[in-house]
Amino acid sequence: MNKKVGLLILLISCFLVSCSPLLSTSYTKEGYSDKNYKKIAVIGISNDLNARLAFENKAVELLKANGINAVSGISMFPQNMPKEAQTPENFIQIIKDNNLDGVITMSLIDEKDSHRYTPGRTYSVPAGYYKVGKYIYRRYITVREPGYYVPTQSYVIEAVLYNLKGELTVDKDTWVWTGESSLIDPYSLQSAANKFCSQMVGQILKDEVVVP
């Protein structure tokens, strides 16, 4: 590879990592070092299909853009999967059949209603005139509007990375990284997916839990 091209790629990679938004908290399992993945499935855990698809698709898009081979989990782990199919043994078989060596899950773990204080505006308005000697001046008074509380809703979303390499068993502990962040009054479902997934991928790159 041309040295200038290699340097350009390195600079772009550093720029993507440094400028990416991050999660509120993240934690990597002690001793975790096996960071190369061939195929990671992204699974949004939600009863709302539209929410699941929005988060899965955005996460896959951003992971791929950063050189990580990711696929949406909806085709492998379909919405409303029959309960009889939701067994550890069946999940392990699905993982093997699709050659997955990693899974990232995203799930809503808390939802809160609260209020945010918004201070009132302060501004000046004309209030007549007054005379000083032969000069006339305009008088202003300061008006302060009272503050008020606005109802807000926050959503805490957690992401977990599972390392599925090697022989899988029902009782095998496979999680290697987790992170979470709050979304306060997201403008729309898509904006919520864009924000959280950007934070998640940015944190994954910063923590170097997956090596592109």
Side-chain angles (χ1 to χ4, degrees):
M1 180 185 292
N2 183 284
K3 288 184 178 180
K4 290 184 178 180
V5 175
L7 178 60
L8 177 60
I9 292 174
L10 177 62
L11 289 173
I12 292 174
S13 299
C14 292
F15 177 79
L16 288 173
V17 173
S18 62
C19 295
S20 298
L22 301 176
L23 299 174
S24 301
T25 61
S26 68
Y27 179 77
T28 304
K29 187 177 183 179
E30 186 176 355
Y32 167 62
S33 59
D34 189 6
K35 303 177 180 181
N36 295 99
Y37 291 83
K38 295 180 180 179
K39 187 179 181 182
I40 297 176
V42 181
I43 304 173
I45 301 175
S46 173
N47 292 325
D48 186 326
L49 177 59
N50 291 329
R52 177 179 179 179
L53 291 175
F55 277 77
E56 283 190 11
N57 292 338
K58 189 62 182 180
V60 168
E61 174 192 330
L62 293 174
L63 288 166
K64 284 185 173 180
N66 284 278
I68 299 170
N69 184 30
V71 294
S72 174
I74 189 71
S75 61
M76 294 167 277
F77 303 92
Q79 194 80 344
N80 301 321
M81 179 185 286
K83 286 189 176 181
E84 58 270 21
Q86 298 181 34
T87 65
E89 292 81 6
N90 188 46
F91 288 150
I92 289 174
Q93 191 59 50
I94 292 172
I95 290 167
K96 290 180 177 179
D97 291 343
N98 290 276
N99 299 313
L100 301 176
D101 57 1
V103 162
I104 294 174
T105 61
M106 296 176 290
S107 57
L108 177 67
I109 60 173
D110 195 14
E111 182 178 348
K112 293 181 180 179
D113 293 318
S114 59
H115 292 80
R116 180 179 65 247
Y117 180 73
T118 301
R121 294 185 306 155
T122 300
Y123 53 93
S124 297
V125 296
Y129 298 86
Y130 67 95
K131 186 176 181 181
V132 178
K134 61 179 180 179
Y135 297 102
I136 297 176
Y137 297 92
R138 194 164 193 173
R139 177 182 291 122
Y140 290 85
I141 60 173
T142 300
V143 176
R144 293 183 176 85
E145 294 181 344
Y148 55 95
Y149 286 90
V150 178
T152 63
Q153 196 162 25
S154 63
Y155 306 87
V156 180
I157 303 176
E158 179 186 56
V160 182
L161 169 64
Y162 299 89
N163 184 335
L164 306 178
K165 301 167 192 173
E167 186 63 30
L168 293 178
T169 58
V170 171
D171 58 350
K172 185 176 180 179
D173 185 12
T174 58
W175 82 272
V176 292
W177 174 89
T178 182
E180 66 178 51
S181 195
S182 296
L183 300 177
I184 300 176
D185 284 341
Y187 177 72
S188 64
L189 174 58
Q190 192 59 55
S191 69
N194 292 349
K195 183 174 182 179
F196 180 80
C197 293
S198 295
Q199 293 175 344
M200 180 187 72
V201 174
Q203 193 72 53
I204 285 174
L205 295 174
K206 179 179 181 297
D207 292 349
E208 297 182 338
V209 290
V210 177
V211 177

